[in-house]
């Protein structure tokens, strides 16, 4: 009952906060959109299908941070070569994430929850990792305030599941407060060169922690 009540309060807070932030930040978002248009051209938004609640796909929005450029073989250049100076600044300040407030208002995301990942990752999750799909994905989350891109995939998923088991409205408020501080201090964002995380290829049995933190297949009881 408490979890259900928290869930209702969480969704009401998401709607109110996302609507208020979209209004308050509209001038800033307009400036960012204009700068992206002038430096990178169209499209202004990066749109990618991600896995949402229960694994359902949805279209997630971000401001573009990379130019479209390919090598002689026709394949896209590495992220570090495509990200623009503006894109680096947007990532450091997390301004590229602002369009996801619209995803929150639509009910596809929450302000707080596990970060939404590409839909192709879903079939690569272990049963324990798949539990991250039990809640709406978030703009920020427990893993983001505990290391973000510096964490390996296994640790990220462990923190995501910890959040699932311990989620509450008060924990969400704590995560939002810590997120604000980290943004101001520019901690934990993508690297200065603009590189993004390596693709998640799945976990081997020996790398999958059980619910008590031990790893399987290495003589643990």
């Amino acid at each position: 009952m408490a979890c259900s009540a928290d869930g209702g309060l969480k969704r009401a807070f998401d709607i109110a906060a996302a609507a208020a932030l979209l209004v308050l930040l509209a001038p800033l978002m307009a400036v960012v959109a204009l700068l992206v248009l002038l430096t990178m051209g169209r499209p202004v938004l990066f749109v990618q299908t991600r896995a949402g609640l229960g694994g359902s796909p949805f279209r997630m929005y971000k401001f573009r941070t990379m130019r479209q450029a390919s090598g002689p073989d026709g394949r896209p250049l590495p992220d570090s070569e495509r990200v623009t100076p503006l894109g680096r600044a947007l990532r450091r300040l997390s301004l590229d994430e602002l369009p996801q407030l619209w995803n929150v208002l639509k009910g596809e995301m929450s302000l707080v929850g596990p970060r939404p990942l590409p839909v192709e990752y879903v079939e690569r999750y272990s049963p324990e990792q798949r539990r991250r799909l039990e809640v709406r994905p978030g703009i920020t989350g427990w893993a983001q305030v505990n290391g973000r891109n510096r964490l390996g995939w296994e640790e990220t998923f462990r923190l995501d599941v910890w959040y699932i088991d311990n989620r509450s409205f008060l924990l969400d408020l704590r995560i939002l407060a810590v997120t604000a501080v980290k943004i101001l201090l520019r901690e934990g964002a993508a690297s200065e060169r603009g590189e993004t995380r390596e693709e998640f290829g799945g976990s081997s049995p020996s790398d999958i922690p059980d619910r008590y933190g031990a790893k399987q297949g290495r003589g643990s009881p």
Side-chain angles (χ1 to χ4, degrees):
M1 183 66 70
C3 186
S4 177
D6 267 357
L9 181 60
K10 176 186 177 76
R11 181 60 191 146
F13 180 79
D14 279 346
I15 293 172
L21 288 171
L22 282 170
V23 172
L24 292 173
L25 297 176
L28 174 61
M29 294 175 69
V31 170
V32 172
L34 179 60
L35 290 174
V36 172
L37 180 63
L38 293 176
T39 58
M40 286 178 268
R42 297 179 183 274
V44 170
L45 294 179
F46 169 76
V47 183
Q48 188 177 55
T49 301
R50 298 288 178 98
L53 179 64
S56 298
F58 73 97
R59 289 162 61 86
M60 188 193 75
Y61 308 108
K62 299 179 71 171
F63 283 120
R64 274 183 65 200
T65 57
M66 294 189 289
R67 61 191 177 93
Q68 298 172 341
S70 302
D73 58 359
R75 301 179 65 178
L77 293 174
D79 290 353
S80 59
E81 296 182 35
R82 292 191 295 133
V83 69
T84 66
L86 173 64
R88 290 191 181 91
L90 294 180
R91 291 185 180 190
R92 284 198 301 271
L93 298 172
S94 295
L95 295 178
D96 58 322
E97 312 282 0
L98 290 180
Q100 289 162 44
L101 290 170
W102 179 242
N103 289 120
V104 174
L105 202 59
K106 291 171 63 181
E108 297 163 336
M109 291 180 63
S110 175
L111 292 177
V112 179
R115 283 295 294 163
L117 297 175
V119 291
E120 58 266 26
Y121 286 13
V122 173
E123 64 181 15
R124 305 173 190 173
Y125 292 151
S126 69
E128 186 75 357
Q129 292 167 350
R130 190 179 292 268
R131 296 193 58 224
R132 70 192 309 277
L133 303 175
E134 293 177 9
V135 298
R136 289 184 180 91
I139 294 179
T140 186
W142 188 240
Q144 280 60 54
V145 299
N146 283 282
R148 200 172 175 178
N149 287 347
R150 295 195 300 267
L151 301 175
W153 282 118
E154 305 300 335
E155 180 66 8
T156 295
F157 295 148
R158 187 187 68 80
L159 292 171
D160 287 342
V161 173
W162 185 93
Y163 171 78
I164 300 297
D165 289 333
N166 295 275
R167 66 189 186 276
S168 69
F169 184 64
L170 289 178
L171 177 59
D172 282 3
L173 293 180
R174 175 186 171 189
I175 291 171
L176 289 171
V178 175
T179 298
V181 171
K182 286 184 174 289
I183 289 175
L184 291 175
L185 297 178
R186 301 181 184 182
E187 291 183 6
S191 71
E192 292 295 315
R193 294 192 301 162
E195 296 175 348
T196 51
R197 298 183 74 170
E198 74 282 359
E199 181 178 347
F200 173 62
S203 303
S204 64
S206 62
D207 289 329
I208 300 173
D210 62 24
R211 297 191 64 175
Y212 302 97
K215 291 188 176 182
Q216 302 174 17
R218 294 189 179 179
S220 58

